Amino acid sequence: MQTKLLVALDGSRFAEQALPFAIAVARRQNAQLELALVWTPHPRDPDPGRPADYLDGLVGQIGSQLPDAVTRELLSTPADPLEYPPPASNAVADVLAQHAVDVDASLIIVTTHGHGGLRRAWLGSVADSLIRMAGVPVLLIRPEDEEFGGALRADRGLGHVLIPLDGTARAEEAIPHALALGSPFAARYTLLRVVSPLSWDVSPHAYDPYPAFTSPLSRDAVEAELEKVAEPLREAGHTILTHVTDDVSPARAILQYAEEHDIDVIALGTGGAGALRRMILGSVSDKVIRGSEVPVLVCNVRRLQEGGQS
């Protein structure tokens, strides 16, 4: 069955900046591209004609680049918006996440709408919810401006993918998804591990406020761990680099490496929401997602394992 990529749109020029990346990936993967817009009915404007015409226009434009490979879907939110009190959930993200499961999409591509006075301060509400709710990986594209500044980056393809690891199986869950995204571009991959000068053990006693500080892992031990992960990937034919760096701030080190080494995509495995419906993804992942100048592939391990079902 042909792979399907789902592009989330909202009618804005900023959201459309996901399209150049989506087209580039669809071409290389020989994938079907579905453009999805969630329409919220309004008593004064109950006719979905305008958003439908908007999607049809985009399908016509993109169809010349991907003949017979572009479809569109106009979705709608539940009639009662009170079912989704912010910030616990997001009706639009919920509809998109479920639609991705229904059509067996392998990837959701969406812009972050992270523009404004503060430098990359916040994700858009839909993107922010999608990375916590989606049962498939989400590729986050940062919109640069309304003139599609990011299209040039998309045109050059995805040549270098950064995969930050922390020694946990959760982080390594991003690897197969990063390979699936980058392999059609013959990308090379860097496995990055950030070693903090300090580490600590969490006390088994719930109310013990004092962590027990321990010696950090040796650089040789970390490099050996990375090589253990890298070797089977190399044997499978992938170009895998490894790098270990020291920094008290893993997020800062990841973003700095991405900037200095011409990274095209950062791939993150995250734990997603926990017992609370609106937990942060984790301080490091959250900072990387919000601070990255390049697209970020977010693999919510918990939701992937659940298959996106609530």
Side-chain angles (χ1 to χ4, degrees):
M1 184 171 64
Q2 190 176 27
T3 301
K4 177 167 288 190
L5 311 178
L6 184 65
V7 184
L9 299 169
D10 64 5
S12 73
R13 293 283 289 174
F14 282 105
E16 290 172 13
Q17 289 193 44
L19 292 173
F21 292 90
I23 293 169
V25 175
R27 279 174 173 166
R28 291 301 184 99
Q29 292 188 358
N30 191 29
Q32 187 85 14
L33 196 63
E34 179 153 299
L35 313 182
L37 187 151
V38 180
W39 174 68
T40 302
H42 191 278
R44 295 184 179 180
D45 186 18
D47 181 10
R50 281 184 296 178
D53 291 343
Y54 166 76
L55 286 176
D56 289 338
L58 286 179
V59 170
Q61 294 174 37
I62 299 172
S64 60
Q65 302 179 59
L66 296 170
D68 302 318
V70 185
T71 60
R72 61 87 159 169
E73 189 70 32
L74 182 61
L75 306 167
S76 61
T77 57
D80 185 4
L82 296 180
E83 295 179 9
Y84 295 89
S89 187
N90 183 294
V92 173
D94 191 19
V95 170
L96 287 168
Q98 185 57 52
H99 184 66
V101 173
D102 292 342
V103 300
D104 199 25
S106 63
L107 180 69
I108 299 174
I109 305 175
V110 62
T111 59
T112 60
H113 290 235
H115 59 283
L118 296 177
R119 180 180 177 273
R120 194 63 168 81
W122 303 104
L123 292 171
S125 60
V126 172
D128 190 54
S129 294
L130 263 178
I131 58 181
R132 292 168 171 81
M133 299 165 62
V136 300
V138 179
L139 182 63
L140 298 170
I141 310 297
R142 178 184 177 181
E144 297 186 9
D145 52 53
E146 291 195 10
E147 300 304 319
F148 281 73
L152 295 177
R153 182 182 296 126
D155 285 344
R156 78 177 189 182
L158 307 176
H160 195 177
V161 179
L162 179 63
I163 310 175
L165 300 177
D166 60 7
T168 66
R170 179 196 65 186
E172 293 178 16
E173 289 285 344
I175 293 176
H177 301 289
L179 296 176
L181 181 65
S183 292
F185 296 90
R188 66 188 189 279
Y189 307 85
T190 294
L191 308 182
L192 175 67
R193 183 78 180 270
V194 182
V195 179
S196 174
L198 293 175
S199 61
W200 56 87
D201 291 329
V202 178
S203 170
H205 304 292
Y207 299 102
D208 187 349
Y210 303 106
F213 288 91
T214 62
S215 298
L217 291 173
S218 72
R219 195 180 190 89
D220 289 344
V222 174
E223 289 175 350
E225 286 185 6
L226 277 185
E227 285 300 317
K228 191 174 181 179
V229 175
E231 193 55 36
L233 301 176
R234 293 186 184 118
E235 292 175 355
H238 302 288
T239 301
I240 307 293
L241 310 174
T242 62
H243 184 77
V244 178
T245 189
D246 302 295
D247 202 308
V248 294
S249 171
R252 178 177 61 195
I254 292 166
L255 294 172
Q256 182 176 342
Y257 188 94
E259 181 178 356
E260 293 177 352
H261 293 81
D262 207 22
I263 295 297
D264 294 304
V265 174
I266 301 173
L268 296 173
T270 73
L276 298 178
R277 293 186 65 189
R278 185 59 170 76
M279 292 279 287
I280 61 171
L281 287 172
S283 59
V284 174
S285 296
D286 208 52
K287 289 175 183 176
V288 171
I289 290 167
R290 296 176 189 278
S292 177
E293 299 286 342
V294 301
V296 180
L297 179 69
V298 183
C299 306
N300 185 326
V301 175
R302 184 181 68 88
R303 298 296 288 160
L304 289 174
Q305 292 172 344
E306 294 173 352
Q309 300 299 328
S310 299

